[in-house]
Amino acid sequence: MAEETTQDNATINPILENIYQQPEELHRVLNDLTTDRLETVKEVARLANLASEIVLTSMGSALYSLMPMYEALLDRGMRNVTLVETAELIHHPERVSKHALYILMSRSGESREVADFSVWLTEHGYTSVAITMTPTSTMGQHCTVMLHDIASYDKIVCIKAYSSMALCGLFVAHMMDHDEPDPTYVARLHAAFDWMEENKKNWLCAIEQIPFLDSADSFYMLSRAQGINMMRSASLWLEETAKVPANVMSLDNFYHGPMELIRAQKITKSKTVPVLLDVLGDDRSRMIWNYITQAQPENIYIGPAGSDMDATVYVELPDLELDGAHMMLVQALYFQLLSYQCAIANNIEPGMFFEEGWIVQ
């Protein structure tokens, strides 16, 4: 049984409630993708296989939801896939290729850029796919094919929406290589969601014990490969939920200059906490991380079981027999909880917004 957290005896914060609902919602979305939505997924996969180029595009949190799909497409050997902000395509229509398949993702389907671009694509005869939680939206109605993400809406920022839309993209990538869903693949995903359900409160309990969250002025989110895109999402949650800056960089590039920020902790007024998501670990990553931990004794390491890396806070990732792109769904849970607790530690209501509204105009 999970240990009791500080939220068990109080009115639960909407952000934490949505985080806790996430595993069940992912089960529900996956069941829908393999049944009621399967023919639509197959059509999207068919279009993707026929396309000479695939462009994944969105803005805000939904752009980050496309990153696991982007990594999965790269892993299957595709080199004709790009991930780009929709604003860039709107500002540079001359860069829009007639031969590409455009996959747009948005919870609302009404954010200005994706709504405008979906209309533009239709008017100019381009093939496009909408992955959205709002099928009646401008984006949902104007794209060539619409894949409905049936997850329930988050109350504030995109929590379930991040993971459920990411799951939709990952499942499309899976179906590009299959006539029917692979039962082993589906079973592993459900097992991962079960693991998330069983461990979500334990993870929060552990994060509540981190002693330096209230004194961290910023974070440096470090990783490699697909881990960098995971850290981009983590950065967004920390900044959006806890109002704390979080820079993102590859571990290797961090060593070529920004490392000085960590070395200078004794003479600077601000404290930066390094966080490493250990992907593609080797002797060089161990060397760089050792330098970091020697310079900044307050740090967080997230990596595979059996690692002997030094860290103030050590987070062991489970072996769920999933590749890096799909493990982003599990890793997201930790970073969402970290952003939630970071807000609590700084006496900020997690996810409070100074401007209301769930559509970015």
Side-chain angles (χ1 to χ4, degrees), residues 2-208:
E3 297 179 35
E4 185 178 85
T5 73
T6 57
Q7 282 289 329
D8 287 323
N9 298 317
T11 301
I12 193 167
N13 170 270
I15 290 280
L16 185 58
E17 182 179 21
N18 289 155
I19 295 172
Y20 278 179
Q21 290 169 345
Q22 197 163 203
E24 180 182 350
E25 288 290 279
L26 289 173
H27 277 303
R28 195 165 71 90
V29 171
L30 182 56
N31 286 333
D32 182 68
L33 290 170
T34 57
T35 54
D36 292 352
R37 228 59 56 184
L38 183 57
E39 291 307 312
T40 303
V41 172
K42 288 181 178 180
E43 176 60 12
V44 176
R46 185 186 71 83
L47 291 172
N49 279 325
L50 290 173
S52 60
E53 179 184 358
I54 297 175
V55 177
L56 308 177
T57 183
S58 189
M59 301 295 293
S61 178
L63 180 69
Y64 297 83
S65 293
L66 279 167
M67 290 176 180
M69 182 183 188
Y70 175 71
E71 296 292 347
L73 293 176
L74 292 180
D75 285 346
R76 69 186 295 274
M78 296 186 67
R79 296 297 177 263
N80 59 339
V81 56
T82 56
L83 177 66
V84 60
E85 292 181 11
T86 311
E88 286 297 304
L89 300 174
I90 291 174
H91 295 320
H92 299 283
E94 73 279 3
R95 300 178 185 174
V96 179
S97 169
K98 192 76 172 183
H99 305 290
L101 172 67
Y102 291 85
I103 299 181
L104 287 70
M105 190 174 277
S106 171
R107 177 177 72 163
S108 70
E110 297 292 354
S111 296
R112 185 181 65 81
E113 291 88 351
V114 296
D116 288 355
F117 190 55
S118 67
V119 173
W120 187 92
L121 288 170
T122 299
E123 290 176 345
H124 290 79
Y126 290 76
T127 305
S128 60
V129 172
I131 300 177
T132 181
M133 298 172 69
T134 316
T136 57
S137 63
T138 299
M139 189 187 81
Q141 292 181 322
H142 280 84
C143 288
T144 312
V145 179
M146 187 278 298
L147 177 58
H148 182 198
D149 171 5
I150 67 164
S152 59
Y153 265 63
D154 297 290
K155 292 185 178 179
I156 308 177
V157 302
C158 289
I159 297 294
K160 293 177 294 181
Y162 164 83
S163 297
S164 62
M165 288 196 293
L167 175 60
C168 289
L170 286 166
F171 192 71
V172 167
H174 170 75
M175 289 305 298
M176 289 174 68
D177 294 319
H178 296 83
D179 294 327
E180 297 295 332
D182 179 357
T184 301
Y185 168 80
V186 174
R188 285 176 179 172
L189 282 173
H190 280 303
F193 306 153
D194 286 339
W195 188 94
M196 292 164 64
E197 178 66 33
E198 293 166 4
N199 289 275
K200 60 189 183 184
K201 291 187 178 182
N202 290 331
W203 259 0
L204 179 58
C205 284
I207 293 169
E208 287 177 336

